[in-house]
Amino acid sequence: APAEAPKGAVDISELRDLGRQLIKAGKNADFKAALTELGAESITTLDPAKYSELKDALSKLLTPAAEEGDGL
């Protein structure tokens, strides 16, 4: 059987899904900036040790910031 990923480890497919959601949301530039910040040009060139960092960054991008408000 293939080696199990460490508990809580982020899978590359999760990152690809988040990336697709960001691109659909028109945040392609933000997605690229997050990758660049972690020293990669794409998800496939990203150091697997940084997957969870990228997941956190992408998740934040997908969550509308509180200061954008909701038009109270």
Side-chain angles (χ1 to χ4, degrees):
E4 289 282 316
K7 196 164 170 57
V10 177
D11 188 78
I12 196 164
S13 62
E14 276 183 79
L15 297 177
R16 288 194 175 122
D17 285 345
L18 285 168
R20 271 193 290 273
Q21 289 173 47
L22 280 167
I23 291 164
K24 277 186 194 158
K27 297 189 176 191
N28 198 11
D30 294 325
F31 173 43
K32 286 280 184 204
L35 278 167
T36 304
E37 210 169 282
L38 293 172
E41 286 180 27
S42 68
I43 289 171
T44 47
T45 60
L46 181 66
D47 177 353
K50 296 183 178 176
Y51 283 3
S52 64
E53 275 181 78
L54 182 64
K55 183 183 177 185
D56 289 346
L58 298 184
S59 298
K60 281 188 189 117
L61 288 172
L62 282 170
T63 308
E67 65 262 19
E68 282 173 19
D70 49 16
L72 295 182

